[in-house]
Amino acid sequence: ALEDEVEKAHTLISQPKVTHAPQLHLLNDWRLENPQKFHCKLQVNPDVFIKLVNKIIHHSVFYNNSKNPQLPVPVQLVIFLNGTRHYGNAATAKDVADWAGVSVGTVYKCYQCVMVAIPQHHDNVIHFDPLEAKDQIEIDHAKDWVEECTCPE
């Protein structure tokens, strides 16, 4: 019987699952001293991150009259960016929660708040300059892609 159990488990002694410490507190150090690692975790450069925070920080969605304060806006943006970095099945909300040291509900709330705040800045920060050759190529490429992906009328 023991031989069967060892054969199935391929181990003699069961090991407890390794716990992972949240990495959220490391981001400020990475922002200052290792921007490549910061970029790897959030898919934005530290300067872009600061600009994003400054764009959304005053949105009313981040403020409430509750006795329970919300997480600081930069932390909510970090959680959002880390989650969107793992688009698809690469990471669950639980994975992001473990990484940030928060609950799954907090992860969803951060996603919600950031997704409410960002769209109002879309036209101010995302644009093409039709006079720039590089932007015109991108516009043409986008139009071609849309035409390829849509059904003819």
Side-chain angles (χ1 to χ4, degrees):
L2 178 60
E3 187 177 326
D4 293 336
E5 291 299 315
V6 171
E7 182 69 30
K8 281 193 267 182
H10 298 286
T11 183
L12 291 174
I13 302 170
S14 65
Q15 298 292 322
K17 185 177 178 183
V18 177
T19 58
H20 300 280
Q23 296 183 8
L24 199 55
H25 67 284
L26 299 173
L27 285 172
N28 196 46
D29 291 338
W30 293 341
R31 181 179 64 83
L32 298 172
E33 299 187 21
N34 193 343
Q36 294 83 8
K37 193 155 196 167
F38 183 94
H39 185 274
C40 180
K41 288 293 177 187
L42 303 181
Q43 295 304 111
V44 296
N45 293 325
D47 293 341
V48 171
F49 176 79
I50 296 298
K51 288 177 183 177
L52 283 170
V53 168
N54 290 336
K55 287 280 187 193
I56 67 172
I57 198 164
H58 298 294
H59 195 284
S60 61
V61 75
F62 296 112
Y63 301 95
N64 60 35
N65 293 326
S66 171
K67 294 178 187 175
N68 300 323
Q70 291 191 24
L71 289 172
V73 174
V75 173
Q76 292 190 51
L77 182 60
V78 161
I79 290 169
F80 172 79
L81 290 173
N82 185 269
T84 57
R85 169 183 166 260
H86 296 291
Y87 179 76
N89 295 336
T92 64
K94 176 77 170 109
D95 294 328
V96 176
D98 290 345
W99 176 83
V102 299
S103 70
V104 172
T106 299
V107 169
Y108 287 128
K109 187 67 177 169
C110 292
Y111 289 176
Q112 179 185 23
C113 289
V114 172
M115 284 305 299
V116 166
I118 285 180
Q120 80 176 38
H121 298 287
H122 179 275
D123 292 342
N124 295 328
V125 297
I126 299 174
H127 62 278
F128 291 107
D129 182 353
L131 301 178
E132 286 285 329
K134 181 179 166 188
D135 287 348
Q136 189 58 51
I137 291 169
E138 286 294 321
I139 291 169
D140 293 341
H141 177 68
K143 286 179 181 178
D144 291 343
W145 182 84
V146 169
E147 287 179 12
E148 289 173 12
C149 295
T150 56
C151 297
E153 292 184 21

